[in-house]
Amino acid sequence: MAHFPNTPGQTGVLRPLRLEGDILDLEVEGEIPSQLNGTFHRVHPDAQFPPKFENDQFFNGDGMVSMFRFHDGKVDFRQRYAQTDKWKVERAAGKSLFGAYRNPLTDDESVQGMIRGTANTNVMVHAGKLYAMKEDSPCLIMDPLTLETEGYTDFGGKIKNQTFNAHAKIDPVTGNMCNFGYAATGLFTTDCSYFEIDPAGNVLFETFFEVPYYCMMHDFGVTQDYFVLHIVPCTGNWERLRAGKPHFGFDKTLPVWLGVLPRGSGVTGKDMRWFKAPKTIFASHVMNAFQDGTKIHFDVPQAEGNSFPFFPDIHDDSFDPVAALPYLHRWTVDMGSNSEEFSSVTRLTTWIDEFPRLDERYVGQAYRHGWGLVMDPEMPMDFLRGRASGFKMNKIGHWDHATGKEDCWWAGPESIVQEPCFVPRHKDSAEGDGYIIALVDNLITNYSDLVVLDALRLADGPIARAKLPIRLRSGLHGNWADASKLPLAA
Ligand code: V55
Ligand code: FE
């Protein structure tokens, strides 16, 4: 008998789902554009068995992968667990064997030394496979259509790094997957590497480098010529684990850095250049980065203080929910100057926002359009009856960086929204010409809809809703793959 803890993190809207299944031809309201031919994969944390610890972190749940297959104006749904090594041994044991979030000291004797990953953060199609990713472990390979798990890979020994970041990006110019990993040589090490994987799945190079201190390096940027990495003091160490504290804690006495490393083979860690931010802030996800002459722009939602109450201040300062609110900013550094400081930091919005996205055909390039989730505290939030915790993202926002204009769609008083994803109308359509798809979770009726909006006319509301007969758990990240990238029978 599974008994999940009677805690806010495991009950109400955060009750585990644990459901695998298939629904052919979802009920649709409105019209799914018939040229949409491909898949939207996304993932949420969803513990297979009750956690060993009552106060388990949301980020510690096993990866549950959902696929929405769009074709001929229809949408088919499939959902399967990412069968990590952890998932398999726990399945066989019928209970949790791994302990607290990124704390191997709390694991069962029998699983010592095993890969602890949950593959719960992002899923992306590359080289005909679905890569299921978690920043503390290698890449898990799944079939993009059946969602069967093949297992972890080190790409034929070509990636020495023990970890594979969840925010891998495809460079639209080369088609290479650009990614890095931290804690490359073991837990809490400051070793990292940057690598690229070509469209056929071959690793082209791996460049090792060191960071100023160990921290959560959750996302990064790439430009045409550089890998760009922000260092924000959500830090950790073995002492914390021995004391049973959360893996990460915020240390606002440490500086924030932006590292810039040339992309390519023949580069070494010595080629990394570090720029220091004007003050210590919190930032996690990256909308995009690009070069402008010798300047590099790096667009990130930035908060004045720690945004993660579950990774508390290491000096025991109380959590400040106002300082925790992120707003999109542009960081600029100049490779042409001798300065070790940022050139500028500019706020780009008045909206509380996170989960930034772009038209991914412009990754690393000068770009105009960005989208993301917005929390508008002015709108009625009937969904709070469902006890949503954390941020209450109730709108999808669009930022036009060329005009400064903002546009948004409100999901209504009963619903919160999961990370949006841009889909081009056609392969060659102009930047931003296409659709935004996102899961909308009604916390009152307990159903999730996958909504489709015109990306440049969000305020018009959904063109279509593919309706699930269940509500999915809050997810992290997901991506669109055009049918041409899928291993479909000819
Ligand atoms: C994040 C999510 C994670 C994690 C570390 O911001 C950082 C997100 C879903 O897991 O392990
Ligand atoms: Fe993320």
Side-chain angles (χ1 to χ4, degrees):
M1 255 183 307
H3 288 294
F4 279 78
N6 186 21
T7 57
Q10 308 279 346
T11 54
V13 300
L14 287 173
R15 184 179 194 172
L17 180 63
R18 307 197 292 158
L19 189 71
E20 299 182 289
D22 296 277
I23 302 172
L24 198 72
D25 199 4
L26 288 176
E27 206 182 325
V28 169
E29 224 174 79
E31 298 255 343
I32 301 284
S34 60
Q35 80 270 24
L36 281 180
N37 186 7
T39 46
F40 173 57
H41 294 95
R42 48 75 72 187
V43 62
H44 71 236
D46 203 347
Q48 182 181 194
F49 295 110
K52 283 180 87 170
F53 298 95
E54 270 224 331
N55 57 351
D56 199 46
Q57 302 264 357
F58 176 71
F59 289 171
N60 204 29
D62 297 292
M64 180 68 92
V65 178
S66 320
M67 174 186 72
F68 295 87
R69 169 79 173 101
F70 286 70
H71 63 98
D72 308 303
K74 300 178 182 187
V75 184
D76 300 329
F77 174 74
R78 169 163 289 164
Q79 185 157 278
R80 296 285 188 279
Y81 268 118
Q83 297 190 2
T84 58
D85 296 3
K86 169 186 184 291
W87 186 94
K88 285 182 184 162
V89 289
E90 293 186 339
R91 185 71 162 199
K95 62 175 185 181
S96 287
L97 299 170
F98 290 79
Y101 175 76
R102 288 163 86 170
N103 186 347
L105 304 179
T106 59
D107 294 346
D108 197 88
E109 200 69 29
S110 65
V111 300
Q112 294 294 322
M114 282 184 62
I115 297 172
R116 303 185 82 253
T118 49
N120 70 4
T121 312
N122 199 1
V123 273
M124 182 183 283
V125 172
H126 187 61
K129 301 291 183 185
L130 185 66
Y131 291 16
M133 300 168 275
K134 173 81 175 177
E135 66 199 60
D136 68 352
S137 40
C139 180
L140 189 81
I141 302 290
M142 299 175 72
D143 184 286
L145 294 169
T146 65
L147 301 185
E148 276 163 32
T149 300
E150 283 181 24
Y152 284 117
T153 183
D154 63 0
F155 296 87
K158 290 276 185 59
I159 292 184
K160 303 290 182 219
N161 198 322
Q162 295 176 13
T163 74
F164 192 95
N165 198 265
H167 281 283
K169 300 171 206 311
I170 310 284
D171 173 357
V173 176
T174 59
N176 292 344
M177 175 182 270
C178 304
N179 201 7
F180 91 112
Y182 68 94
T185 56
L187 207 55
F188 298 120
T189 59
T190 52
D191 299 315
C192 301
S193 74
Y194 173 72
F195 44 84
E196 296 192 12
I197 305 168
D198 77 9
N202 304 305
V203 174
L204 298 173
F205 60 87
E206 182 177 24
T207 308
F208 276 83
F209 63 93
E210 264 196 81
V211 287
Y213 56 83
Y214 175 83
C215 63
M216 186 176 84
M217 287 163 253
H218 180 69
D219 196 356
F220 62 93
V222 283
T223 72
Q224 185 86 56
D225 299 317
Y226 301 104
F227 161 70
V228 190
L229 178 64
H230 55 316
I231 298 293
V232 170
C234 191
T235 65
N237 54 52
W238 280 108
E239 248 125 81
R240 295 180 63 80
L241 299 197
R242 281 190 286 267
K245 291 182 178 169
H247 183 102
F248 291 115
F250 198 68
D251 183 355
K252 63 182 175 312
T253 67
L254 291 173
V256 165
W257 299 96
L258 193 67
V260 181
L261 181 78
R263 292 169 55 189
S265 54
V267 175
T268 75
K270 292 195 186 70
D271 298 317
M272 175 74 95
R273 181 162 169 192
W274 292 102
F275 295 88
K276 194 173 172 184
K279 62 179 178 181
T280 296
I281 47 74
F282 182 94
S284 181
H285 290 127
V286 179
M287 183 178 272
N288 198 18
F290 62 99
Q291 289 162 241
D292 168 11
T294 59
K295 290 193 170 129
I296 294 171
H297 301 297
F298 187 79
D299 294 350
V300 279
Q302 168 190 318
E304 291 299 306
N306 181 17
S307 286
F308 287 160
F310 41 86
F311 297 141
D313 189 273
I314 66 158
H315 304 293
D316 298 324
D317 269 18
S318 58
F319 184 75
D320 178 345
V322 174
L325 300 173
Y327 299 88
L328 188 65
H329 283 66
R330 175 162 293 175
W331 300 0
T332 302
V333 297
D334 190 350
M335 296 295 281
S337 84
N338 293 320
S339 172
E340 287 183 6
E341 316 264 305
F342 282 24
S343 300
S344 61
V345 174
T346 315
R347 183 157 151 173
L348 300 180
T349 186
T350 56
W351 290 346
I352 300 161
D353 63 284
E354 240 296 349
F355 289 96
R357 297 300 298 254
L358 77 157
D359 175 340
E360 267 106 13
R361 296 170 302 167
Y362 289 80
V363 166
Q365 306 291 324
Y367 73 118
R368 175 172 176 182
H369 298 288
W371 295 265
L373 295 182
V374 170
M375 168 172 153
D376 184 346
E378 303 288 306
M379 306 308 277
M381 294 189 179
D382 297 359
F383 58 73
L384 290 178
R385 281 191 276 138
R387 287 200 287 148
S389 65
F391 294 134
K392 284 113 193 142
M393 311 312 278
N394 53 356
K395 288 182 169 180
I396 302 174
H398 164 240
W399 291 270
D400 182 333
H401 297 311
T403 63
K405 274 175 70 179
E406 298 173 319
D407 177 32
C408 70
W409 172 67
W410 176 47
E414 299 186 344
S415 298
I416 55 174
V417 192
Q418 302 198 23
E419 183 190 54
C421 178
F422 176 83
V423 184
R425 194 176 309 273
H426 301 287
K427 194 164 58 70
D428 303 314
S429 55
E431 183 190 352
D433 182 24
Y435 304 99
I436 284 290
I437 55 178
L439 275 160
V440 173
D441 308 323
N442 187 312
L443 304 189
I444 304 301
T445 63
N446 257 332
Y447 295 121
S448 293
D449 292 344
L450 188 67
V451 299
V452 181
L453 297 103
D454 188 317
L456 297 181
R457 303 172 65 93
L458 294 184
D460 290 356
I463 300 163
R465 285 173 180 264
K467 295 157 76 75
L468 287 172
I470 53 172
R471 181 173 55 75
L472 300 187
R473 285 193 114 204
S474 284
L476 276 305
H477 304 291
N479 293 283
W480 175 261
D482 185 79
S484 61
K485 306 281 187 212
L486 299 168
L488 294 163

